[in-house]
Amino acid sequence: MKFDRHPTELLIVLVVFLRSHAHPNSNNEPVEAPRSPWPRPDAAVMETVQTYISWGSSAGQATPDCKRFLATFGANRSWESPFTSNEFMEYDIEGACNRLAMNLSWRVASLDAGQYLYPLYSQHLGMESYWKVGFVWNAVGGAKNLSHVFNRKEYNFTIITVLWLQVYPNNKSYIFNAVDVFWPDAEATFPTTLTNMVDNYVSFLGGNCKTWAELFWRDVGMVTVSGEDTGYYGPTGLTEYCSKMVYMWSSYVHDVDDMSYSVDIYSSTVEKVAFTWTRTGVYLGRVRTDEILTVFYIRSAPTPKADLKIFIAWDFLQPPMEEASLMT
């Protein structure tokens, strides 16, 4: 059983090998694919995302359209981002957008390659009216005249954003809460402490589940996985989740892609870590690949060294059809 990081070439070889040894379906008749009970991010959600990252700008426009931006949010709304200027929580969405518009001379925004949206559905969050979607995007812009944005004349950031969407009676999803994870003053090299935390999380420390649970904060750490009907809470729940994953995935390789983090402006400590990654391997005897976006909420542990620990981990991914159908 291996959960170590491997080069991309080995990942490709593994997938080819596993597929070549998979048992063929003895029934050659077409089989109707199982239907997922989860809503997939559709064109309407993609339009909401595009409007969000452009701050309401229409195609070809370089400045925000704050009324159009506000229209993507529901009645109860909040925006958490360094772009809001207070970097904490902004409820006056249009006002924060207008302040940006006054200070920007030009701006473009684009989704990551493939325009991939990572959903999260969780019954204990009330999936009938709320769900989340995460994505990676790039923001490029400049400041007007002698003004500055993040103490610079120009900026170019890779951002990981999570939108908490509320489904209204018209079956349209509006933004309830938006969170941009990035840190304008971040160095080019990702902090080693956070890189190690990410690697230890995705590898399950080679199946050492008791030690893996120690990545989390005291007795209240938690993991929530898209499609699961409950979260895994505390040392017992976290060890249970790790053991379950080690059992179900007899082997897999993983590759971490984009990584970002944000910092609490009051304590200057890391507050959130977000990253995208791919997991490919043998899941219950079948080849499977998961595209995942994970978000950590971080707290400093009450130790003399004030070590950073995971408070909550969210795994965003589209649940496989066969698993989703079992939950209905």
Side-chain angles (χ1 to χ4, degrees):
M1 183 184 305
K2 285 189 174 294
F3 294 88
D4 300 330
R5 179 183 286 276
H6 291 259
T8 303
E9 292 81 0
L10 290 182
L11 187 151
I12 296 172
V13 170
L14 174 67
V15 173
V16 172
F17 174 81
L18 292 173
R19 286 177 176 169
S20 67
H21 288 73
H23 294 290
N25 190 339
S26 59
N27 182 4
N28 293 325
E29 294 297 322
V31 178
E32 183 179 355
R35 295 182 179 180
S36 171
W38 313 110
R40 286 184 175 270
D42 56 14
V45 173
M46 177 61 78
E47 182 180 356
T48 296
V49 170
Q50 293 280 12
T51 304
Y52 174 83
I53 68 173
S54 67
W55 299 333
S57 295
S58 302
Q61 299 298 315
T63 57
D65 181 339
C66 295
K67 291 190 179 301
R68 188 166 178 262
F69 179 59
L70 178 64
T72 64
F73 289 81
N76 298 312
R77 51 186 176 254
S78 57
W79 183 19
E80 184 178 348
S81 172
F83 281 118
T84 65
S85 74
N86 62 22
E87 301 171 31
F88 183 62
M89 189 75 78
E90 181 63 65
Y91 301 98
D92 181 7
I93 308 298
E94 189 174 8
C97 177
N98 283 326
R99 289 194 296 273
L100 284 169
M102 292 175 61
N103 198 37
L104 296 175
S105 57
W106 53 273
R107 180 179 181 279
V108 293
S110 59
L111 282 175
D112 198 28
Q115 299 185 336
Y116 194 83
L117 302 183
Y118 301 79
L120 185 141
Y121 315 107
S122 180
Q123 300 237 7
H124 73 278
L125 291 179
M127 68 150 274
E128 69 282 352
S129 58
Y130 295 99
W131 62 294
K132 296 184 178 183
V133 64
F135 51 92
V136 182
W137 60 290
N138 296 95
V140 181
K144 283 185 178 178
N145 301 322
L146 300 178
S147 300
H148 290 76
V149 179
F150 306 124
N151 297 316
R152 66 193 77 192
K153 292 292 293 180
E154 298 179 359
Y155 63 85
N156 186 343
F157 299 122
T158 296
I159 301 169
I160 298 180
T161 291
V162 172
L163 301 182
W164 189 325
L165 300 167
Q166 184 173 9
V167 183
Y168 280 69
N170 61 2
N171 204 34
K172 185 173 180 180
S173 298
Y174 291 89
I175 300 171
F176 176 77
N177 175 237
V179 180
D180 292 337
V181 180
F182 74 102
W183 182 238
D185 297 326
E187 299 294 334
T189 303
F190 208 77
T192 302
T193 301
L194 301 183
T195 300
N196 291 339
M197 179 184 291
V198 167
D199 287 341
N200 291 336
Y201 178 85
V202 302
S203 68
F204 290 104
L205 292 173
N208 188 342
C209 292
K210 182 177 180 180
T211 302
W212 184 81
E214 293 174 0
L215 295 173
F216 293 79
W217 197 67
R218 299 174 86 180
D219 296 331
V220 294
M222 183 176 181
V223 172
T224 296
V225 181
S226 182
E228 299 274 357
D229 60 357
T230 185
Y232 298 88
Y233 180 82
T236 301
L238 293 170
T239 302
E240 173 193 348
Y241 171 68
C242 175
S243 300
K244 174 181 130 178
M245 294 296 287
V246 170
Y247 168 75
M248 291 183 168
W249 289 88
S250 58
S251 65
Y252 74 78
V253 294
H254 62 271
D255 187 27
V256 177
D257 299 312
D258 294 290
M259 300 174 67
S260 188
Y261 69 96
S262 60
V263 173
D264 184 276
I265 61 172
Y266 301 110
S267 64
S268 297
T269 59
V270 175
E271 183 180 40
K272 299 180 188 70
V273 176
F275 57 98
T276 59
W277 57 294
T278 303
R279 173 173 58 204
T280 298
V282 181
Y283 178 85
L284 295 179
R286 300 176 63 182
V287 179
R288 172 168 149 182
T289 297
D290 287 338
E291 298 285 349
I292 308 168
L293 185 153
T294 296
V295 179
F296 296 156
Y297 279 67
I298 301 294
R299 296 290 184 274
S300 296
T303 64
K305 293 183 179 180
D307 295 331
L308 294 177
K309 298 284 186 178
I310 303 168
F311 183 61
I312 302 175
W314 308 85
D315 280 351
F316 291 64
L317 71 157
Q318 183 72 37
M321 293 290 191
E322 61 272 16
E323 287 188 8
S325 62
L326 291 175
M327 296 181 61
T328 57

